[in-house]
Amino acid sequence: KLKIVTLGGGSSYTPELIEGFIRRYDELPVTDYYLVDIDAGAEKLKIVGELAKRMVKKSGLPMTVHLTTNRNEALFDADFVTTQLRVGQQEARIHDEAIPLKYGVLGQETTGAGGFMKAQRTIPVLLDLCRDMERLCPEAWLINFTNPAGIVTEAIEKYSPIKTLGICSGANNMMMEIAGVYGVERRDVYARVMGLNHLIFADQIAVKSQDVTAGFIEMLAKSAGGSSLKNVPDIGLPPDFIRALGLFPLSYLKYFYLSREMVEHSLQDCKAHGTRGEQTREIERKLFEIYKNPQLESKPKELESRGGAYYSETACSIISSIYNDKKEIHVVNTPNRGATRDLDDESVVETNAMIDRQGAHPLAYGRLPVKVRGLIQSVKAFEELTVEAAVTGDYSTALMALSVHPLIPSVDIAGKILDEYLAVNRPFLPQY
Ligand code: G6P
Ligand code: MN
């Protein structure tokens, strides 16, 4: 018996995961797959859950898909729990993005103020989940995709005994981009990755075991560092900057390196099409229309317009590496434990790690290059304060979290954003 549970099962991303489990059935024979959602998500759960059932049926595999709003029933005796939930749904995301933008500050789901707010809503819910897991499936792994994934993982590591890993589609997308450039398979690419979630850099890039780092960086410079993630606006970084950096930055780094241009772009984009949350709400509405079609038995192409496209690749291969004690190397969010001495051992980093039945063993990295060290350390300070604020509900800690973030230029504005955030998020903030 192998029981896997997904919280936020009514998410439009669910077909991704189902496809991943079906494809990997030989090595990961899931007997029972539980999709769980809250009452408010029951209708979406039914639509996407029925599609999941059709996909499994078509595969002919002996896997049972269960749809439920009863979390305890699902968690009992589970082996793996994955989360992709969104506290407050798209409405809350839209506030996260729109409020900072009013002050000319980046309004993004995970980077900057938005990530802070999302963490305040999400961390109490996930710590509550962990307490349920302690009762119902204390040995299970919690594979967390819920954003802000790095911050949420740090909270769980600090405040719960449950075994956990945080995951993101970003690093895999970078590898796919490299594979695309060289016309090889994703599995032919290896790169060293270090940083924080949505703030990673790759180097030591190898294609079929040949180091191509210098050539790839030059190519990136010539193409102005094209963006691989669908949710990050494609504004090019200056070629000379990319050459000077000498590292392959995840597209989210543009929010830091082109902070003015990216805010400018967001403001215009927002005027024309609404915030990204308003856009994804529309994409989701269309996806659910597509999912409703009883003829549909596979993941539709349209899902690729979401930023998290292909995330099941990461999720399912990591679960398999734990389950089969594979000792493969994957990029995960896990405590640093000495991988670099430029961050605390307890600080969660996004890094290459060997994954086996014991979990993640981060690979030694050494010093962070001075050109990115300060940025990583200051965002880590923001993350640490964000976790503390989410757990304590302490206003001063929350204000300091926003004030130390490199993309929030004024402490006065930080306070105004915080007050507006707390006001609209009241129903989701039991700790404040
Ligand atoms: C990227 C990130 C995910 C994030 C997604 C947002 O893939 O890695 O963590 O959830 O983008 O995409 P969306 O389509 O919701 O804007
Ligand atoms: Mn991510």
Side-chain angles (χ1 to χ4, degrees):
K1 180 200 119 317
L2 174 56
K3 179 172 179 180
I4 300 192
V5 180
T6 294
L7 270 86
S11 159
S12 60
Y13 281 119
T14 291
E16 274 280 333
L17 272 179
I18 289 281
E19 191 197 61
F21 289 130
I22 291 173
R23 194 146 18 96
R24 278 195 172 67
Y25 186 82
D26 286 349
E27 51 183 280
L28 197 65
V30 183
T31 50
D32 292 277
Y33 186 44
Y34 278 76
L35 293 169
V36 187
D37 219 310
I38 55 171
D39 290 335
E43 202 190 314
K44 283 166 70 185
L45 176 66
K46 182 149 179 14
I47 297 169
V48 75
E50 290 304 326
L51 170 60
K53 286 184 178 175
R54 293 195 297 276
M55 289 170 73
V56 169
K57 187 164 177 219
K58 186 182 170 213
S59 74
L61 295 169
M63 186 193 301
T64 310
V65 176
H66 306 260
L67 312 181
T68 181
T69 52
N70 182 339
R71 182 162 106 179
N72 285 352
E73 171 204 332
L75 290 180
F76 179 72
D77 226 7
D79 298 291
F80 291 91
V81 177
T82 81
T83 68
Q84 49 184 23
L85 51 90
R86 187 185 285 287
V87 182
Q89 299 181 293
Q90 298 283 355
E91 270 48 52
R93 173 181 182 168
I94 294 166
H95 286 309
D96 290 353
E97 295 165 337
I99 290 172
L101 272 178
K102 284 203 298 193
Y103 298 95
V105 173
L106 177 69
Q108 211 278 334
E109 183 189 21
T110 58
T111 296
F116 163 85
M117 195 58 240
K118 190 159 170 37
Q120 305 309 298
R121 288 192 304 274
T122 308
I123 288 173
V125 171
L126 282 201
L127 290 179
D128 185 54
L129 165 67
C130 287
R131 282 186 289 271
D132 283 352
M133 287 178 67
E134 279 182 67
R135 278 190 299 120
L136 299 164
C137 53
E139 290 308 314
W141 276 92
L142 176 55
I143 308 296
N144 177 56
F145 186 64
T146 299
N147 275 324
I151 299 175
V152 168
T153 303
E154 186 157 312
I156 298 169
E157 290 284 358
K158 281 189 176 154
Y159 294 97
S160 166
I162 291 294
K163 297 177 284 190
T164 193
L165 289 178
I167 62 164
C168 176
S169 57
N172 188 48
N173 268 269
M174 290 165 80
M175 310 292 170
M176 284 172 67
E177 192 175 330
I178 298 166
V181 165
Y182 292 93
V184 298
E185 299 290 319
R186 158 72 185 87
R187 63 169 178 274
D188 296 325
V189 176
Y190 182 83
R192 189 170 78 143
V193 168
M194 186 43 124
L196 310 180
N197 182 228
H198 294 181
L199 198 109
I200 49 171
F201 299 88
D203 68 352
Q204 299 185 358
I205 301 166
V207 170
K208 296 197 172 173
S209 306
Q210 298 299 311
D211 190 302
V212 299
T213 314
F216 182 76
I217 298 290
E218 184 51 31
M219 195 285 313
L220 208 60
K222 289 212 173 84
S223 67
S227 174
S228 55
L229 289 170
K230 285 288 190 304
N231 58 315
V232 181
D234 196 0
I235 300 178
L237 287 164
D240 283 340
F241 172 77
I242 295 179
R243 290 188 188 104
L245 183 64
L247 302 165
F248 177 22
L250 178 68
S251 27
Y252 277 80
L253 266 304
K254 291 179 186 176
Y255 291 121
F256 295 91
Y257 291 142
L258 294 170
S259 47
R260 286 202 183 176
E261 294 83 347
M262 291 294 270
V263 169
E264 216 20 70
H265 182 283
S266 298
L267 284 168
Q268 281 166 17
D269 193 47
C270 186
K271 244 187 235 154
H273 314 285
T275 67
R276 175 73 186 163
E278 286 169 286
Q279 296 170 27
T280 54
R281 187 169 58 183
E282 189 50 26
I283 297 174
E284 248 181 33
R285 205 189 49 74
K286 286 189 187 135
L287 280 171
F288 276 92
E289 281 311 311
I290 295 169
Y291 294 171
K292 275 183 192 161
N293 174 2
Q295 309 299 316
L296 183 71
E297 296 174 317
S298 56
K299 177 183 91 174
K301 185 100 185 116
E302 288 84 347
L303 196 47
E304 287 171 19
S305 54
R306 290 299 299 274
Y310 311 114
Y311 100 83
S312 70
E313 259 322 289
T314 312
C316 300
S317 58
I318 288 172
I319 292 174
S320 177
S321 200
I322 297 174
Y323 180 74
N324 294 301
D325 201 24
K326 274 188 169 173
K327 306 190 190 302
E328 283 175 352
I329 294 170
H330 291 280
V331 177
V332 293
N333 286 269
T334 192
N336 171 36
R337 283 165 285 171
T340 175
R341 69 171 151 111
D342 292 315
L343 292 167
D344 288 345
D345 284 353
E346 302 74 35
S347 291
V348 164
V349 290
E350 189 161 305
T351 177
N352 297 49
M354 189 268 274
I355 310 289
D356 66 10
R357 199 164 288 168
Q358 318 300 323
H361 309 267
L363 303 192
Y365 184 90
R367 303 298 306 263
L368 298 173
V370 65
K371 51 198 167 186
V372 299
R373 187 186 303 156
L375 175 60
I376 293 174
Q377 287 173 334
S378 59
V379 175
K380 179 46 77 181
F382 155 81
E383 293 191 346
E384 212 176 304
L385 290 163
T386 294
V387 169
E388 197 188 319
V391 171
T392 60
D394 179 53
Y395 184 88
S396 299
T397 309
L399 182 60
M400 276 321 292
L402 290 175
S403 301
V404 302
H405 198 287
L407 295 182
I408 302 177
S410 141
V411 294
D412 182 47
I413 289 177
K416 290 184 170 132
I417 293 173
L418 178 58
D419 292 341
E420 281 203 43
Y421 267 171
L422 294 179
V424 297
N425 281 282
R426 262 289 130 240
F428 308 111
L429 299 176
Q431 76 274 43
Y432 275 87

